Amino acid sequence: MAESVKSDGKGDDRIKNLIAARKSLKLSLEKSKSLGLALKKAGPILDEMKQRLPSLEAAVRPIRADKEALVAAGGHINRAIGPAAAVLKVFDAVHGLEKSLLSDPRNDLPGYLSVIKRLEEALRFLGDNCGLAIQWLEDIVEYLEDNVMADERHLLNLKKSLKGLRELQSDDERAHLDGGLLNAALDKLEGEFWRLLTEHSVPLPMPSSSTLGEQAVIAPSQLPVSVIHKLQAILGRLRTNNRLEKCISIYVEVRSSNVRASLQALDLDYLEISIAEFNDVQSIEGYIAQWGKHLEFAVKHLFEAEYKLCNDVFERLGLDVWMGCFSKIAAQAGILAFLQFGKTVTESKKDPIKLLKLLDIFASLNKLRLDFNRLFGGAACIEIQNLTRDLIRRVIDGAAEIFWELLVQVELQRQIPPPPDGNVPILVSIITEYCNKLLGDNYKPILSQVLVIHRSWKHEKFQERILVGEVLNIIKAIELNLETWTKAYEDTILANLFAINNHYHLYKHLKGTRLGDLLGDSWFKEHEQYKDYYAAIFLRDSWGKLPGHLSREGLILFSGGRATARDLVKKRLKTFNEAFDEMYKKQSSWVVPDRDLREKICQQIVQAVVPIYRSYMQNYGPLVEQDGSSNKYAKYSVQALEQMLSSLFLPKPGRYASFKGRQLSDKFNNGVADLRRTTSAVV
């Protein structure tokens, strides 16, 4: 039993030990669980601490840096901060100008220009000092990097920023320093430049073409002085910023448009006419006369005004600038069209009228020679100079060629039949008129100058006697033509009338002229005598024969009886009427163009025929008037006969001709020297 009690005591101890072990194990498990939870919570904290360690390390790095390096860093930083702070201050000032620069310049142009100037100065400061500030900042970054005094990432960001600032220092990027503010302000200045020009450029009130030559000096359409000063001020700022080209384009566009508007009143559509739009110079003769007046007016008033205005506005920019501007205005406003029209005239077919028109063109150009040299003499006007020289050469060559060919053309007309109506050949009337004009005060000096220049190009001399001699040779050729044509008529009576007309024409139209003075009094006396001689023969051989048909022989009433007398009167009146009708019918188609000469010839015919007819009818008319067929014999009353004879030789309307000669040489562009006036065609 005692043993039993003893064994029960040992069992209890084992149970207690197990219970104690169980408690201990349970406690350990709870502690492990708590530790696991604690470790789980500590993980993120450790990760955060791991992430913060580099920055903490960087933060404490200066503490670990060398003491001398730390002391030196302060100086480097102070030197970099000063320029950088100044640059930032100027940047702030630039942005402070933005409101003023985005306003309208017209409200206060001087103030606006002053603000732009301040902006330019600020940008120059930034351009000059940004580089210095960047250099100092780069130095301090390099110092911090070398002495391991800053975080590498921070230093990398700083380097990247400084690199961007450095790139802004290039010429292409410097304009972005103000965010485009200066360009916007300059755009507004260009707009103000355009506004000032357009509002004050008014077309010049133009006179009519008919009164153009009577005008005195017309006030040019200049700009007010105050406007010119504003334009100059704007150009000054734009020039500083290399923005002149657009303003020059604006100026050229506005002012050339203004000149064109002024010229519109002159109706210059004819300047655009092409060589295919007219047959000969005569069809545009009126335009050529207008051309000279219009060109003179345009040069002396419009282009002269633009020349002075260009000088006033652009004088501070230099000669090349304002002359270049003026040359563009002149070209766009119409000077080239004037020159082109002259060239078109020179390309037309050759005829005598063209000679005078070419001389007119030369006279106009020569009159404006000094103006052209002054206005268009600069290098900028080289196109105008070349076109002008080309036109002058064409005019001189063309005029000289036609003049020297005139004699040949007159000689070529000799083989053409004379006018069928006995009229003055148009060749004669044209050439005598031309020779008169060529030696007159208006054309002789011009023609002489043209021929002098033309000869000088060939290194030949020209004397006035050559011109006079050539004209006299032309008149001699005309006389020889008249002699040939007179002999060419089959009807000698018509030949006599032709001779009367032409000798009188030469006498009347050359007497008292410069050419007439050269021909001399004996020349005129000779032609007057020829005219009288042929007039006498004409009357004798034609109308002078009619009275012979009214013979009184055998009409004494008591010799043969009344019936016999009546038969004789009838027979003689019938013969007279037949001869009269035949002659009147034939000569009714003949012409005496000069009124005085025509009236004189008709008067002579009336005097030769009517008095005898009147007397005959008074004495013997009653013999036939009592007859039932009296109208057959007493066909004309004295008044009717006189009226018919007085109405002879009247010019016919619609007379025209083409004066054409044979092909002379290859010098003629059209192959035929076409003087376009003939002696033969009559309608």
Side-chain angles (χ1 to χ4, degrees):
M1 192 169 159
E3 291 177 2
S4 172
V5 172
K6 185 177 181 181
S7 61
D8 289 339
K10 292 181 179 179
D12 290 338
D13 292 336
R14 286 196 292 270
I15 291 171
K16 289 180 180 178
N17 290 334
L18 288 172
I19 293 171
R22 176 177 170 271
K23 288 182 179 179
S24 176
L25 182 61
K26 184 179 180 180
L27 208 72
S28 297
L29 288 173
E30 289 177 353
K31 287 183 178 180
S32 296
K33 187 177 181 181
S34 297
L35 181 61
L37 290 174
L39 289 173
K40 186 176 181 181
K41 291 180 180 179
I45 296 174
L46 291 173
D47 290 339
E48 183 180 354
M49 292 178 64
K50 183 178 180 181
Q51 292 176 359
R52 293 178 61 188
L53 280 175
S55 58
L56 290 173
E57 182 182 5
V60 299
R61 188 173 295 162
I63 300 175
R64 305 201 322 259
D66 184 71
K67 181 178 179 181
E68 293 181 359
L70 286 173
V71 173
H76 284 289
I77 293 173
N78 290 336
R79 283 193 297 272
I81 293 300
V87 167
L88 290 175
K89 185 176 181 181
V90 173
F91 264 117
D92 290 338
V94 166
H95 290 297
L97 301 176
E98 184 172 353
K99 182 178 179 180
S100 299
L101 292 175
L102 295 180
S103 64
D104 194 336
R106 78 170 70 187
N107 298 326
D108 180 15
L109 182 60
Y112 193 87
L113 292 172
S114 176
V115 174
I116 289 182
K117 189 174 182 180
R118 287 166 56 193
L119 176 60
E120 293 169 356
E121 292 172 351
L123 292 178
R124 279 196 298 272
F125 176 85
L126 292 177
D128 294 340
N129 291 278
C130 276
L132 179 62
I134 293 170
Q135 182 63 52
W136 283 110
L137 290 174
E138 288 175 341
D139 288 346
I140 188 58
V141 169
E142 182 181 354
Y143 183 84
L144 293 175
E145 185 178 28
D146 292 343
N147 291 277
V148 195
M149 298 178 66
D151 182 24
E152 292 181 359
R153 288 178 299 168
H154 290 170
L155 292 176
L156 185 62
N157 289 335
L158 280 173
K159 288 182 179 180
K160 187 175 181 180
S161 299
L162 291 174
K163 181 179 180 182
L165 290 175
R166 178 68 72 184
E167 290 175 351
L168 286 175
Q169 291 299 294
S170 65
D171 292 337
D172 294 336
E173 298 294 334
R174 188 170 293 187
H176 298 295
L177 289 174
D178 62 342
L181 182 59
L182 179 60
N183 283 334
L186 296 177
D187 289 342
K188 285 185 171 292
L189 273 188
E190 289 174 347
E192 178 65 5
F193 188 89
W194 179 86
R195 185 192 69 81
L196 288 170
L197 271 179
T198 53
E199 289 187 2
H200 295 88
S201 294
V202 181
L204 186 67
M206 302 296 285
S208 63
S209 294
S210 59
T211 60
L212 199 58
E214 303 170 5
Q215 296 293 319
V217 176
I218 297 178
S221 178
Q222 288 280 18
L223 301 179
V225 175
S226 59
V227 173
I228 293 177
H229 289 164
K230 290 180 179 179
L231 295 177
Q232 289 176 334
I234 292 174
L235 288 170
R237 292 268 59 83
L238 292 171
R239 182 191 190 187
T240 301
N241 292 278
N242 297 318
R243 290 276 294 263
L244 275 182
E245 289 304 318
K246 187 172 181 180
C247 265
I248 290 176
S249 298
I250 291 172
Y251 186 90
V252 170
E253 177 185 354
V254 173
R255 294 305 299 180
S256 60
S257 175
N258 191 67
V259 175
R260 288 196 301 272
S262 299
L263 289 173
Q264 283 180 353
L266 297 180
D267 190 15
L268 300 179
D269 291 342
Y270 68 88
L271 293 179
E272 305 300 326
I273 194 170
S274 67
I275 191 69
E277 294 180 76
F278 63 95
N279 296 323
D280 52 34
V281 170
Q282 188 177 19
S283 62
I284 60 168
E285 187 175 358
Y287 291 145
I288 297 173
Q290 290 181 349
W291 178 85
K293 293 180 180 180
H294 291 164
L295 177 61
E296 180 177 358
F297 186 85
V299 170
K300 286 187 173 292
H301 297 290
L302 298 179
F303 293 125
E304 176 72 31
E306 294 305 319
Y307 180 86
K308 292 179 179 178
L309 187 59
C310 278
N311 182 29
D312 291 341
V313 173
F314 295 97
E315 62 177 341
R316 298 176 184 175
L317 305 182
L319 179 66
D320 292 342
V321 173
W322 73 262
M323 277 300 294
C325 189
F326 169 71
S327 70
K328 294 176 182 177
I329 292 174
Q332 295 182 20
I335 188 65
L336 301 182
F338 276 103
L339 298 175
Q340 180 58 46
F341 176 81
K343 180 182 178 181
T344 300
V345 174
T346 65
E347 293 173 343
S348 63
K349 295 178 180 179
K350 296 177 174 64
D351 59 43
I353 291 180
K354 182 178 178 180
L355 171 58
L356 294 184
K357 297 302 105 182
L358 290 178
L359 293 179
D360 288 339
I361 291 175
F362 179 83
S364 297
L365 293 173
N366 192 53
K367 184 178 181 180
L368 298 172
R369 180 171 54 87
L370 295 179
D371 298 284
F372 262 72
N373 289 341
R374 180 170 51 83
L375 297 180
F376 310 117
C381 298
I382 188 65
E383 182 182 9
I384 298 175
Q385 294 169 25
N386 290 338
L387 288 175
T388 304
R389 292 190 190 101
D390 179 65
L391 175 57
I392 292 174
R393 178 171 289 277
R394 287 171 174 269
V395 167
I396 292 176
D397 284 340
E401 187 175 12
I402 293 175
F403 176 73
W404 295 118
E405 291 287 349
L406 278 177
L407 177 58
V408 178
Q409 288 299 303
V410 171
E411 293 172 344
L412 283 173
Q413 300 299 306
R414 197 170 298 156
Q415 59 190 308
I416 295 176
D421 57 3
N423 204 340
V424 176
I426 297 183
L427 166 72
V428 176
S429 59
I430 285 181
I431 295 300
T432 52
E433 178 186 359
Y434 266 70
C435 289
N436 264 332
K437 288 184 177 181
L438 293 178
L439 292 182
D441 292 336
N442 291 334
Y443 284 107
K444 184 181 178 182
I446 302 172
L447 179 57
S448 296
Q449 188 175 359
V450 165
L451 296 177
V452 166
I453 296 173
H454 190 258
R455 285 289 185 94
S456 70
W457 290 344
K458 299 178 180 180
H459 305 288
E460 299 174 357
K461 292 185 178 181
F462 177 82
Q463 296 178 346
E464 185 177 322
R465 60 181 178 81
I466 299 177
L467 168 60
V468 173
E470 187 70 11
V471 172
L472 292 178
N473 287 336
I474 292 173
I475 296 300
K476 290 178 182 178
I478 289 288
E479 291 180 296
L480 187 55
N481 283 14
L482 293 177
E483 182 180 342
T484 303
W485 288 330
T486 301
K487 295 176 180 178
Y489 285 103
E490 294 181 0
D491 188 332
T492 57
I493 297 176
L494 179 57
N496 292 332
L497 182 66
F498 174 80
I500 296 169
N501 276 331
N502 285 277
H503 285 291
Y504 182 78
H505 179 86
L506 293 177
Y507 178 88
K508 181 177 181 179
H509 290 274
L510 296 181
K511 185 73 173 176
T513 65
R514 290 288 180 87
L515 179 55
D517 294 341
L518 294 172
L519 293 169
D521 292 337
S522 60
W523 187 89
F524 287 100
K525 188 177 294 183
E526 180 181 349
H527 281 280
E528 187 176 23
Q529 290 173 350
Y530 274 127
K531 183 262 296 181
D532 294 339
Y533 168 76
Y534 285 110
I537 295 178
F538 170 79
L539 187 61
R540 183 196 70 188
D541 293 346
S542 58
W543 299 100
K545 292 182 177 182
L546 284 182
H549 296 296
L550 300 176
S551 172
R552 300 185 181 219
E553 184 179 350
L555 292 180
I556 299 175
L557 295 180
F558 301 104
S559 63
R562 189 176 184 85
T564 303
R566 182 183 297 114
D567 291 340
L568 284 173
V569 170
K570 285 182 178 181
K571 181 179 179 181
R572 289 171 182 172
L573 282 175
K574 181 181 180 182
T575 304
F576 175 86
N577 289 337
E578 290 174 350
F580 177 85
D581 288 344
E582 180 184 0
M583 194 172 299
Y584 184 82
K585 180 180 180 182
K586 180 168 64 174
Q587 296 194 18
S588 292
S589 63
W590 297 356
V591 172
V592 176
D594 186 86
R595 179 179 178 180
D596 294 338
L597 179 61
R598 182 172 62 251
E599 290 179 352
K600 184 176 181 180
I601 293 175
C602 289
Q603 184 181 10
Q604 290 174 346
I605 294 173
V606 168
Q607 290 174 351
V609 176
V610 172
I612 296 175
Y613 182 77
R614 180 188 294 113
S615 175
Y616 194 84
M617 293 303 293
Q618 286 174 350
N619 291 323
Y620 307 109
L623 291 175
V624 297
E625 289 171 356
Q626 299 173 2
D627 193 284
S629 59
S630 62
N631 290 338
K632 182 178 179 181
Y633 303 104
K635 188 174 181 179
Y636 301 105
S637 67
V638 174
Q639 292 79 8
L641 192 72
E642 182 174 356
Q643 185 176 1
M644 291 174 68
L645 293 174
S646 298
S647 63
L648 282 169
F649 313 125
L650 291 174
K652 306 300 185 295
R655 185 169 184 258
Y656 71 93
S658 61
F659 177 15
K660 296 182 179 178
R662 289 182 174 179
Q663 182 173 344
L664 296 181
S665 68
D666 293 335
K667 291 187 294 182
F668 287 92
N669 294 332
N670 60 352
V672 177
D674 183 5
L675 295 184
R676 313 188 69 76
R677 299 291 182 273
T678 194
T679 60
S680 59
V682 178
V683 174

